[in-house]
Amino acid sequence: MNTSMYINGQAILGNGNALDVNNPATLEVITQVYSSAFEQLEECVAKAKQAFTIWKNLADPKIVEAFHAIAEDILSQKEELARLITLEQGKPLFLAQVEVELTVQWINYVAGLNIPVEHYQEANGKKITVYNRPLGVVASITPWNWPFMIAAWHLFPALKAKNCVINKPSEFTPLSTIKLIEIINQHLPAGVCSLILGDGKIGHALTQHPDIQKVTFTGSTGTGQKILENSVSTLKSVVLELGGNDIGIVLEDVDIDQVCRKVFMSAFLNAGQTCACLKRLYVHEKIYDQVIRKLTEMINSQVLGNGLEEGTTFGPVQNKLQFEKVQAFITDALEHGATVIRSHQLLPEKGYFIAPTLVVNARDEMEVVQKEQFGPVLPILSFSHVDEVIKTTNQSEFGLGASVWTKNLQKAEKIAEQIEAGTVWINSHADLSPEAAFGGWKLSGLGYSFGLGGLLQYTHKQSVHITAA
Ligand code: NDP
């Protein structure tokens, strides 16, 4: 199993502390990786800076060719990669396969983007050309929930814009990202795409480094804020994709069975460990009880277990900290008078398993409603007037996403217009597209990803004014 870092295209072990990588379904140690020493980080940045002098001048068709070759290699190793994702992350194998497939789709989409050049001609004959130039070396810090796909979301737009990138995966799930960087390094020049491991200090050192021009980070709001602080002295730009507390608003006219199937998937996808998951559900009082009944059926139909075993539909929470955090939300809700409905399924004896849980008769002021749970628990509240729910939605400190569920699309679009969030879905949730901007308002983030706009976040403008001598 590859446990290397990648510096200047070379697979190299970290000189720092040994870190266990655990299987969250069995609590067994899969392997150990070694965190980077500070000197290794310095070398990594220096080599990336050197590689940039070549990479920034490479013709775009060569980059497109390399991206397609990487995508093909990933697809040809889909089964092996999916097993690795399941082993370290915990999600069921079918979902890990989807993660690999989506990654391939995203890489091919980014390959096809063209970086625009603007041309202007003034009346006096002066010509102006506005270019989108690469930045230099970009740092990418990726999380443990979708370790393979989110790494690709960070890396490929930055590379396509002709930057060099240094990725630091989560210490909980480094293995599938290492494999991704190994494949990338088989197709790109040395130093263009590197990987560094850390255990509590490297992320800070990397994002503070004066030779890093930009930081792209997906994770908690608190760490995002620290990264923003680190950007001040050198005025680096950042893309921060942080927490959310996405609301789902279900109006009374819906087809309950159909909507509940989709709501279940949107809330419990990846055991709820997805920033864009639906995290609190507001249901019109006329259909509240029916929705609870249907969602209870849905949670009871899940098969909890090791994602590598056939038939498993629901995996564990990825790590101990998250496991304890989610349990604490459920306990707090119970202590404050909510009713908790848990799936009937027996939990496996070992592993960070939490049964999919509905918190019924939840109230706005409960922690499980106010905060991001990032786990398999969904608070459900009832409402009588949609205007009240829109007000509640906008009182949140987060503004990542929201969804409206109704047959009345016109009404839904009017509601969407009033919601303070980066994405509003109508009759779906969390189904992202490589073309559509994705980013959070308020404490959910800064900057955005995806589409040409997302790619251009990895460039700066240069206007060249040409006057004839
Ligand atoms: P964090 O958000 O704290 O991110 C940890 C990563 O950030 C590590 O790679 C770490 O590197 C790096 N890091 C930590 N401090 C700094 C710093 N000051 N400057 C730069 N980098 C730093 O993740 P956790 O895993 O602890 O998760 C915490 C919470 O975040 C979860 O409970 C969940 O709610 C949320 N989360 C959100 C995700 C999302 O998709 N938006 C994904 C995952 C989690 P090093 O080890 O070197 O310090």
Side-chain angles (χ1 to χ4, degrees):
M1 193 172 288
N2 188 351
T3 57
S4 309
M5 308 197 299
Y6 279 82
I7 298 178
N8 200 29
Q10 301 296 310
I12 177 172
L13 288 184
N15 286 337
N17 298 329
L19 309 164
D20 287 348
V21 183
N22 296 309
N23 178 343
T26 61
L27 306 190
E28 283 162 5
V29 177
I30 304 166
T31 187
Q32 284 191 321
V33 295
Y34 296 88
S35 72
S36 167
F38 286 116
E39 310 82 67
Q40 291 179 304
L41 170 64
E42 282 302 330
E43 194 197 345
C44 188
V45 176
K47 295 294 185 191
K49 207 175 154 191
Q50 211 175 312
F52 177 63
T53 58
I54 297 167
W55 184 245
K56 71 176 182 180
N57 293 314
L58 206 74
D60 186 64
K62 292 263 177 222
I63 298 178
V64 175
E65 199 183 305
F67 278 23
H68 288 317
I70 291 167
E72 265 178 44
D73 270 9
I74 292 173
L75 209 50
S76 71
Q77 296 173 56
K78 181 173 118 180
E79 289 311 312
E80 183 192 339
L81 287 165
R83 292 185 79 79
L84 195 55
I85 293 170
T86 295
L87 195 66
E88 64 176 354
Q89 203 283 331
K91 67 185 55 143
L93 195 55
F94 74 87
L95 193 57
Q97 287 162 346
V98 171
E99 181 167 353
V100 178
E101 285 160 9
L102 287 173
T103 302
V104 168
Q105 183 194 340
W106 239 268
I107 296 170
N108 285 329
Y109 169 77
V110 175
L113 289 173
N114 289 311
I115 298 178
V117 180
E118 298 159 52
H119 298 281
Y120 303 98
Q121 169 113 37
E122 293 194 343
N124 63 5
K126 184 174 84 168
K127 288 181 184 168
I128 306 171
T129 311
V130 182
Y131 295 96
N132 293 289
R133 304 288 199 202
L135 302 168
V137 184
V138 171
S140 142
I141 300 185
T142 42
W144 43 259
N145 52 346
W146 297 89
F148 194 75
M149 183 173 71
I150 295 181
W153 287 357
H154 284 197
L155 298 174
F156 286 89
L159 291 169
K160 171 79 178 181
K162 301 188 180 181
N163 300 283
C164 292
V165 192
I166 300 173
N167 172 259
K168 193 216 153 282
S170 165
E171 62 274 29
F172 293 122
T173 52
L175 303 174
S176 55
T177 317
I178 290 173
K179 195 70 195 153
L180 173 66
I181 307 272
E182 178 193 313
I183 295 172
I184 293 174
N185 271 284
Q186 285 159 5
H187 297 277
L188 301 188
V192 170
C193 187
S194 309
L195 179 139
I196 200 107
L197 296 167
D199 64 345
K201 293 194 187 97
I202 288 295
H204 173 71
L206 179 64
T207 58
Q208 233 193 5
H209 201 289
D211 288 334
I212 297 291
Q213 305 302 320
K214 183 165 197 117
V215 181
T216 173
F217 170 75
T218 302
S220 68
T221 297
T223 301
Q225 286 166 323
K226 286 184 192 147
I227 288 171
L228 189 57
E229 277 171 28
N230 282 351
S231 72
V232 173
S233 58
T234 51
L235 288 185
K236 321 177 154 54
S237 61
V238 294
V239 177
L240 303 176
E241 206 280 279
L242 309 175
N245 193 9
D246 285 18
I247 197 165
I249 305 171
V250 184
L251 305 189
E252 62 191 290
D253 66 347
V254 296
D255 174 328
I256 292 174
D257 282 8
Q258 197 191 65
V259 163
C260 285
R261 271 195 296 276
K262 285 193 189 178
V263 160
F264 174 81
M265 278 306 297
S266 317
F268 291 96
L269 175 70
N270 200 25
Q273 302 164 112
T274 301
C275 54
C277 263
L278 199 166
K279 307 231 166 72
R280 48 192 173 134
L281 187 68
Y282 285 67
V283 181
H284 192 278
E285 59 188 3
K286 284 197 185 148
I287 55 167
Y288 186 79
D289 290 341
Q290 288 159 276
V291 166
I292 302 286
R293 269 199 297 279
K294 185 66 197 173
L295 285 176
T296 305
E297 260 176 48
M298 301 285 316
I299 61 171
N300 282 328
S301 69
Q302 298 309 304
V303 180
L304 270 79
N306 186 333
L308 291 176
E309 282 166 16
E310 216 175 309
T312 297
T313 63
F314 211 93
V317 168
Q318 203 283 324
N319 58 72
K320 187 163 185 268
L321 284 174
Q322 201 58 31
F323 177 76
E324 288 169 352
K325 191 169 151 180
V326 176
Q327 298 278 26
F329 279 122
I330 299 172
T331 307
D332 184 80
L334 278 169
E335 283 171 6
H336 287 86
T339 306
V340 162
I341 303 175
R342 291 191 176 95
S343 104
H344 289 152
Q345 296 283 341
L346 282 180
L347 293 184
E349 276 175 22
K350 278 193 183 163
Y352 299 127
F353 287 96
I354 299 180
T357 301
L358 307 175
V359 177
V360 181
N361 299 325
R363 291 189 311 278
D364 286 325
E365 63 277 13
M366 287 178 178
E367 276 206 339
V368 73
V369 180
Q370 289 284 321
K371 300 201 171 146
E372 180 181 46
Q373 321 93 14
F374 218 74
V377 51
L378 178 68
I380 311 180
L381 299 87
S382 76
F383 72 87
S384 46
H385 298 292
V386 76
D387 289 347
E388 289 164 16
V389 188
I390 295 169
K391 206 169 142 197
T392 307
T393 308
N394 292 340
Q395 277 164 352
S396 171
E397 59 187 357
F398 295 111
L400 190 61
S403 57
V404 186
W405 304 76
T406 173
K407 288 181 180 149
N408 186 339
L409 297 185
Q410 229 180 347
K411 184 172 179 179
E413 284 198 52
K414 286 219 168 84
I415 295 172
E417 200 181 330
Q418 296 174 66
I419 287 178
E420 295 167 7
T423 302
V424 183
W425 288 276
I426 296 171
N427 297 318
S428 74
H429 201 118
D431 59 339
L432 299 169
S433 152
E435 284 143 7
F438 176 64
W441 296 10
K442 307 188 208 174
L443 290 185
S444 289
L446 207 55
Y448 58 94
S449 308
F450 306 164
L452 181 61
L455 185 146
L456 293 179
Q457 302 255 320
Y458 295 99
T459 63
H460 39 204
K461 302 272 178 201
Q462 185 182 56
S463 299
V464 179
H465 294 241
I466 308 161
T467 303

